[in-house]
Amino acid sequence: MTNEHNKDYVYDGRRIKLHKAELTAILLKRFPYYAHLLPQLKHVFENRVQRFIAVKSFIIPGSQAYKEVPVLLSAAAVQLTFGLQEFELPWFRYIRVHAEEYFADDPHALRVLAGHVEENVITVAWNHFLKGIADDRDGANVGLHEMAHALYYQHVIAHNGKRKGFIKELSDVMEESEEIYTLRHNYNVLYSDYAYKNLQEFWAESIELFFEKPEALQEHYPELFDNLKELLNQDPLNKTNPLLP
């Protein structure tokens, strides 16, 4: 349906008619993480993308939406959570797309955003999202970045820390992150200046680096790399079979 107030198209994931061949073609063409996987893991990935789509609504500018949009946005979430049993991020009912970078809804400051997470909505700028998935080696991926914020919120705020095993491993990640964050001026490698805005941005950028520059992250921050492996149950150095036993 179309929202007449802001000219957005609300794409109900439950009503998307997506054939397996369409899904596979989109992922093979546009999503490198999926393309590298072993055939049996590709099948698992596809099923998770379909399930993720079915529990979300996608708010897209214009009067129509293309199936590529919900598929690729859902794939970003599935990539991050591929090693976890819970992957649907149920707190977040909506995923909003802007055609390009947009202004934050902040009366006190003029800020231009490529993505953000607020209330039960994950928002991304489509041009930045596509750029992020087109190059899976540059360490910049707004899809992973915003899904990382959503994953943190899902477990720490929405679940109120009830998933004790995940929270323990997340605490290890955040403790190591805080140590690196504090020593920024002594040892500032890999991370952008924006990562040092606060620990939440450092966490999200760590996720980007974990998947896109795993060798460098392991070399410079081995404890953080190992903590992220344990948390996400993935080894990004093994592209064909990243899931840990």
Side-chain angles (χ1 to χ4, degrees):
M1 67 178 179
T2 303
N3 183 325
E4 295 296 338
H5 177 67
N6 56 15
K7 306 299 183 183
D8 286 341
Y9 188 90
V10 182
Y11 210 9
D12 186 343
R14 295 169 298 178
R15 299 182 180 180
I16 295 175
K17 296 179 180 179
L18 188 67
H19 298 295
K20 183 180 183 299
E22 293 178 288
L23 178 69
T24 301
I26 292 169
L27 292 172
L28 281 175
K29 180 181 178 181
R30 306 299 294 267
F31 212 80
Y33 178 92
Y34 166 87
H36 290 303
L37 294 174
L38 293 171
Q40 60 267 35
L41 291 182
K42 282 186 170 74
H43 179 69
V44 176
F45 194 95
E46 292 162 5
N47 287 340
R48 285 196 169 201
V49 167
Q50 289 178 315
R51 287 175 57 186
F52 192 90
I53 290 172
V55 297
K56 306 299 177 191
S57 290
F58 300 85
I59 306 170
I60 300 169
S63 59
Q64 64 178 353
Y66 300 96
K67 292 179 182 179
E68 183 178 75
V69 175
V71 168
L72 294 176
L73 290 168
S74 300
V78 171
Q79 175 180 347
L80 174 61
T81 61
F82 200 40
L84 307 178
Q85 289 187 338
E86 297 181 12
F87 65 93
E88 294 174 342
L89 303 176
W91 175 259
F92 296 94
R93 181 69 184 86
Y94 300 96
I95 300 181
R96 177 185 290 276
V97 179
H98 290 276
E100 54 190 17
E101 55 274 16
Y102 54 95
F103 290 111
D105 185 15
D106 185 349
H108 304 293
L110 185 64
R111 294 184 295 130
V112 179
L113 302 178
H116 77 288
V117 171
E118 187 175 17
E119 297 179 346
N120 66 339
V121 184
I122 301 167
T123 303
V124 298
W126 188 241
N127 62 335
H128 286 270
F129 178 85
L130 288 179
K131 182 180 179 182
I133 64 173
D135 185 347
D136 65 341
R137 302 286 294 175
D138 65 355
N141 187 312
V142 71
L144 285 174
H145 186 103
E146 300 309 328
M147 295 304 171
H149 284 313
L151 181 67
Y152 185 97
Y153 190 97
Q154 179 69 55
H155 284 275
V156 176
I157 308 300
H159 280 168
N160 196 26
K162 293 179 181 177
R163 307 298 191 265
K164 299 300 183 183
F166 186 90
I167 291 299
K168 170 62 172 64
E169 292 172 353
L170 179 61
S171 296
D172 292 341
V173 169
M174 298 310 291
E175 287 177 11
E176 183 64 23
S177 296
E178 186 170 10
E179 183 176 333
I180 299 168
Y181 183 92
T182 302
L183 295 174
R184 170 191 180 183
H185 296 296
N186 296 333
Y187 189 56
N188 185 13
V189 180
L190 283 183
Y191 288 87
S192 71
D193 288 341
Y194 188 76
Y196 292 95
K197 178 182 178 183
N198 54 54
L199 271 175
Q200 268 299 300
E201 296 305 332
F202 190 92
W203 146 258
E205 193 163 307
S206 294
I207 293 296
E208 295 177 84
L209 294 170
F210 178 73
F211 283 104
E212 298 213 341
K213 291 190 173 184
E215 297 91 349
L217 188 66
Q218 184 183 49
E219 177 185 353
H220 294 289
Y221 307 106
E223 289 188 30
L224 178 59
F225 180 82
D226 287 342
N227 288 340
L228 285 169
K229 278 177 59 177
E230 292 298 317
L231 175 70
L232 299 177
N233 196 37
Q234 293 197 60
D235 181 359
L237 293 172
N238 187 348
K239 291 184 178 295
T240 60
N241 186 17
L243 301 185
L244 297 180

